[in-house]
Amino acid sequence: VLHWHSHSYELVYLRTLRRFSTPIAPVDLAQSAIGPGMAVFSRFGKVVEADGTRMTVRTALSLINQALDELLTEQEGDFDAETRWAVAWFEQAGLDSAAYGLAETLSTAKNTAVNALVQAGIVESKAGRVRLLSRDELDASWDPATDIRLTVWEIVHHIIRVLEQHGEQAAGLLIRSIGGLSEPARELAYRLYLVCERKSWAQEAFSYNSLVVAWPGLARIAMQQAVPTQSELEL
């Protein structure tokens, strides 16, 4: 008989896996979480919860997914306020518009403001509605070196845009130019993939997964290059 206490084990296992292994593609991360947790569950003839009742497989899977969520959300402390707002808004509304009042309430909770989100270049606010801008709507002349309100959200989406339109060399140069924000950007890509996967947004999920899979190669390009000029990025 096992009293279920594997939640902390799951978090430690996943943190270690993410830190020391070759980066796991987001599409494989959920399975990487489920494997060790269910190995513990299936090792015993009976698994019980804190109140002594028998735990079902469904409950065990729910707890494992909870550990995965915690792993990805614990990185939010590395995100700026505008990115934290954008993640929460994306989970609720995707790229659709919603009432200004909802955006304002969420911005207060995330310690930012709707006008700050507009200034950051990640949302459109008009006629009482607010929506996140798609990658194709982002400013193609964007330069992280001169952006006075730089956000991890826009970094991720500009890298994806450049990767899809101009290839790995240009995307690697862009990663080189963002310096210390590259790791939060990679973590955000993981987080957004999970949101898209759970909401069955296949096209968006594909883009985030592709970015994480390509990241080691992009990082090598970034390390080999000098800081690029705007013309070198050819955005």
Side-chain angles (χ1 to χ4, degrees):
V1 176
L2 172 70
H3 287 270
W4 185 265
H5 297 294
S6 71
H7 182 260
S8 295
Y9 163 76
E10 279 285 328
L11 284 173
V12 171
Y13 170 81
L14 285 169
R15 290 189 189 110
T16 303
L17 195 64
R18 293 277 300 283
R19 185 177 301 226
F20 296 109
S21 300
T22 299
I24 303 169
V27 72
D28 297 324
L29 187 59
Q31 189 59 44
S32 298
I34 291 169
M38 291 310 297
V40 173
F41 184 87
S42 61
R43 191 180 304 156
F44 297 86
K46 182 180 181 181
V47 179
V48 297
E49 300 191 52
D51 61 1
T53 59
R54 189 183 189 98
M55 179 176 288
T56 65
V57 172
R58 182 175 181 178
T59 299
L61 287 171
S62 176
L63 291 172
I64 293 167
N65 282 322
Q66 180 183 335
L68 177 59
D69 287 343
E70 288 186 28
L71 172 72
L72 296 178
T73 58
E74 70 183 10
Q75 305 297 329
E76 284 199 8
D78 296 331
F79 299 159
D80 52 273
E82 289 73 33
T83 294
R84 292 195 296 272
W85 179 93
V87 171
W89 186 264
F90 187 64
E91 288 181 310
Q92 295 177 29
L95 297 178
D96 295 332
S97 67
Y100 180 92
L102 294 175
E104 185 176 41
T105 299
L106 182 59
S107 68
T108 300
K110 299 298 183 181
N111 196 31
T112 184
V114 175
N115 66 330
L117 298 162
V118 173
Q119 291 170 8
I122 64 174
V123 305
E124 177 188 76
S125 175
K126 66 179 183 180
R129 307 286 292 182
V130 174
R131 68 179 180 88
L132 283 165
L133 296 176
S134 68
R135 287 190 298 278
D136 292 340
E137 295 176 294
L138 295 177
D139 182 3
S141 64
W142 175 80
D143 184 350
T146 59
D147 192 333
I148 62 174
R149 194 179 285 274
L150 187 62
T151 69
V152 178
W153 179 271
E154 63 184 326
I155 285 171
V156 166
H157 292 89
H158 276 294
I159 293 173
I160 292 175
R161 177 180 62 81
V162 171
L163 178 63
E164 292 179 345
Q165 296 179 4
H166 303 287
E168 291 191 356
Q169 186 69 21
L173 289 171
L174 184 54
I175 288 176
R176 175 68 176 85
S177 71
I178 63 175
L181 290 176
S182 61
E183 184 60 22
R186 188 174 73 92
E187 295 295 342
L188 179 58
Y190 270 107
R191 175 72 184 279
L192 295 179
Y193 170 82
L194 186 61
V195 172
C196 294
E197 190 271 335
R198 290 180 176 175
K199 291 182 175 290
S200 299
W201 296 339
Q203 185 173 354
E204 289 297 306
F206 177 81
S207 292
Y208 297 124
N209 186 70
S210 296
L211 175 58
V212 175
V213 170
W215 198 277
L218 302 181
R220 284 192 293 272
I221 292 170
M223 293 179 64
Q224 293 167 359
Q225 302 293 332
V227 177
T229 63
Q230 181 65 25
S231 60
E232 287 175 324
L233 288 174
E234 296 182 350
L235 299 180

